[in-house]
């Protein structure tokens, strides 16, 4: 990229900050949540100097304070395809395919995020992006009406489309263009308290599924949550009521562990917001909420299979009506079958790691991939956990459902269609397991070259 252009990493950083500021204005409890997470993170680091040192050494500490993920839902293939082009300006690519229909939410999704190590360390901003599956609306008349409503709107400003085209033609944006791009792109995600339909239409769509009404009935796909990253989600969950935030009943994902894996998430209940309908009627709408996440190590295919198997066992045997403490205790018991030390996770190829050459340590014997265990024992090679950068479909559905009410479908059948999603997207989604595999291999090869020289 020409030095005359601002880097995509810088544009993503600016956009993430602007989005956070906007959402804090729109949802004041999000600001309260940020303060709570910051306080808990500070206490965890003060109480655990070893963790503090490890995060600093791996260059992970700086990113935690700026780290956010957002979530949006769009209604048409054209909207999804233009979002892909918009996120490309910010160096964000579609990673992973998620089918939420099987869990009762009529969407399928991907996560737009940076993929290179350097970009992730700068700002790992992610947007979990869902496409409404109109074909899952059972009533043909309602399905056609929803499609007609969506086809009559444009969720992008004319200026942002011009700037996206300029970026694609030039290979970058000037500082002035980048600043304007951030402001114009924000408009797609801004909350609008006036619906584009009358109350009767909204009610019909709402009765089919609350999420369908949320996607179809507004001028844009308003960001429905922003998520800071905490180092202790159990403590955040415990403290939320003390700062006036009502948390969801249980934390989603794996249990608390010495070596955190994948992703744990919780949220506060969706706001009830007043909206004006096209026929001048007033009503209430609940869609936007706050979420918190705690990220652990990325798992290999073998590790994910074990995780999925244990999670299924835990769900099948879960005590009914359990509160979060009982739920976590049950999960922890089931997950004793999942190794909880990094050495075993690496040796059994259950998780991904970064490899690093250790300066000043004399190497005994050959330097090769076959000698990795020996080099680690010698202290010449060190490993650090590779953070999971993606999402869990069961957890995402659980968060959505907790904020959409209990009247949603149990499921829409097994109807995953990655091919249909990619056709709408206009691109192939990146396989996240392959991405982690490549990053681990690249770090190992680089470390071995450094040791050999």
């Amino acid at each position: 990229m020409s030095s005359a252009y601002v880097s995509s990493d810088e544009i993503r950083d600016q956009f993430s900050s602007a989005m956070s500021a906007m959402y804090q204005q729109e949802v004041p409890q999000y600001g309260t949540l940020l303060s709570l997470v910051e306080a808990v993170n500070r206490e965890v680091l003060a109480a655990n100097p070893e963790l503090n040192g490890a995060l600093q050494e791996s260059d992970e500490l700086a990113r935690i304070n700026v780290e956010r993920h957002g979530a949006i839902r769009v209604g048409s293939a054209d909207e999804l395809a233009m979002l892909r082009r918009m996120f490309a300006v910010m160096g964000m690519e579609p990673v992973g395919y998620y089918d939420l229909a099987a869990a009762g939410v009529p969407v399928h999704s991907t996560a737009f995020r940076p993929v290179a190590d350097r970009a992730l360390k700068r700002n790992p901003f992610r947007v979990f992006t869902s496409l409404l599956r109109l074909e899952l609306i059972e009533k043909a008349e309602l399905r056609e009406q929803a499609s007609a409503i969506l086809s009559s709107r444009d969720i992008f400003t004319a200026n942002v489309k011009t700037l996206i085209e300029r970026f694609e033609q030039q290979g970058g944006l000037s500082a002035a263009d980048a600043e304007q791009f951030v402001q114009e792109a924000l408009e797609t995600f801004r909350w609008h308290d006036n619906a584009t339909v009358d109350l009767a239409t909204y009610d019909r769509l709402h009765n089919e599924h609350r999420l369908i009404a949320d996607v179809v009935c507004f001028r844009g796909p308003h960001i429905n949550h922003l998520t800071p990253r905490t180092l202790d989600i159990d403590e955040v969950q415990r403290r939320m009521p003390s700062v006036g935030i009502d948390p969801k009943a249980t934390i989603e994902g794996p249990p608390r562990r010495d070596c955190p894996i994948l992703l744990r998430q919780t949220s506060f209940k969706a706001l009830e917001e007043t909206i004006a309908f096209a026929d001048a009627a007033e009503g209430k709408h609940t869609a936007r909420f706050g979420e918190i996440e705690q990220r652990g190590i990325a798992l290999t295919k073998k590790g994910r299979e074990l995780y999925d198997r244990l999670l299924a066992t835990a769900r099948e045997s879960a005590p009914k009506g359990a509160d979060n403490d009982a739920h976590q205790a049950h999960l922890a018991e089931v997950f004793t079958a999942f190794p909880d030390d990094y050495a075993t996770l690496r040796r059994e190829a259950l998780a991904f790691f970064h490899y690093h050459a250790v300066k000043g340590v004399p190497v005994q014997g050959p330097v090769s991939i076959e000698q990795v265990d020996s080099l680690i024992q010698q202290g010449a090679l060190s490993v650090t956990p590779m953070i999971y950068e993606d999402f869990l479909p069961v957890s995402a559905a659980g968060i959505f459902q907790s904020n959409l009410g209990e009247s949603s479908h149990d499921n829409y059948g097994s109807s995953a269609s990655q091919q249909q999603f990619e056709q709408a997207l206009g691109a192939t989604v990146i396989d996240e397991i392959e991405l982690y595999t490549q990053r681990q291999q690249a770090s190992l090869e680089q470390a071995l070259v450094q040791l050999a020289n």
Side-chain angles (χ1 to χ4, degrees), residues 386-437:
M386 188 178 293
I387 294 297
Y388 184 63
E389 305 288 353
D390 297 289
F391 297 92
L392 300 171
V394 172
S395 295
I399 293 282
F400 279 11
Q401 287 168 338
S402 72
N403 286 288
L404 291 167
E406 302 303 320
S407 59
S408 57
H409 290 245
D410 288 336
N411 64 72
Y412 284 92
S414 180
S415 57
S417 179
Q418 183 168 340
Q419 184 179 4
Q420 177 194 4
F421 183 85
E422 290 178 336
Q423 188 174 356
L425 182 68
T428 303
V429 299
I430 298 169
D431 181 285
E432 65 271 28
I433 299 291
E434 183 60 31
L435 193 57
Y436 293 119
T437 302

Side-chain angles (χ1 to χ4, degrees), residues 229-249:
R229 177 180 166 191
T230 183
L231 297 171
D232 188 344
I233 200 167
D234 301 277
E235 184 62 18
V236 172
Q237 175 91 353
R238 188 185 70 78
R239 290 193 200 179
M240 281 164 74
S242 70
V243 294
I245 296 176
D246 183 17
K248 73 183 293 292

Side-chain angles (χ1 to χ4, degrees), residues 10 20 47 56 73 108 137 145 160 320 323 353 355 377 410 433 442:
E10 173 63 26
S20 189
Q56 283 186 330
R73 307 151 182 163
H108 47 185
I137 299 177
Q145 186 177 22
V160 84
K320 289 188 177 178
D323 62 12
F353 292 85
Y355 289 82
Q377 288 170 1
D410 288 336
I433 299 291

Side-chain angles (χ1 to χ4, degrees), residues 363-384:
V363 176
Q364 299 174 356
V367 174
S368 66
I369 287 179
E370 292 74 20
Q371 300 302 314
V372 165
D373 288 349
S374 172
L375 292 167
I376 290 173
Q377 288 170 1
Q378 293 175 46
L381 199 60
S382 68
V383 294
T384 55

Side-chain angles (χ1 to χ4, degrees), residues 137-298:
I137 299 177
E138 293 169 5
K139 299 169 186 167
E141 182 184 351
L142 197 59
R143 189 165 61 241
E144 290 164 11
Q145 186 177 22
S147 179
I149 294 166
L150 289 168
S151 67
S152 68
R153 75 178 186 183
D154 189 345
I155 65 173
F156 304 98
T157 68
N159 283 340
V160 84
K161 287 188 279 189
T162 298
L163 289 165
I164 290 168
E165 289 171 4
R166 187 173 301 165
F167 172 86
E168 292 169 345
Q169 291 164 0
Q170 297 178 164
L173 293 177
S174 68
D177 281 347
E179 185 177 346
Q180 187 184 8
F181 168 84
V182 167
Q183 295 308 312
E184 296 286 343
L186 271 185
E187 293 305 311
T188 295
F189 304 95
R190 192 179 297 281
W191 168 249
H192 302 287
D193 59 8
N194 53 327
T196 58
V197 301
D198 58 33
L199 178 58
T201 301
Y202 177 87
D203 283 345
R204 282 196 299 274
L205 292 165
H206 185 276
N207 292 338
E208 176 73 13
H209 196 292
R210 291 175 70 171
L211 183 142
I212 296 172
D214 180 53
V215 174
V216 173
C217 298
F218 295 88
R219 282 165 47 199
H222 45 258
I223 194 86
N224 57 65
H225 64 265
L226 273 182
T227 305
R229 177 180 166 191
T230 183
L231 297 171
D232 188 344
I233 200 167
D234 301 277
E235 184 62 18
V236 172
Q237 175 91 353
R238 188 185 70 78
R239 290 193 200 179
M240 281 164 74
S242 70
V243 294
I245 296 176
D246 183 17
K248 73 183 293 292
T250 56
I251 296 171
E252 300 282 348
R256 186 182 186 94
R257 294 163 43 90
D258 292 335
C259 301
I261 58 173
L262 298 174
L263 178 67
R264 303 180 72 204
Q265 295 175 293
T266 189
S267 67
F268 64 72
K269 303 290 179 62
L271 303 176
E272 186 174 76
E273 298 174 289
T274 301
I275 53 174
F277 292 95
D279 57 354
E282 275 201 356
K284 300 289 186 182
H285 179 69
T286 54
R288 302 190 306 151
F289 54 94
E291 186 178 274
I292 313 96
E293 65 185 19
Q294 181 173 355
R295 290 186 173 269
I297 193 168

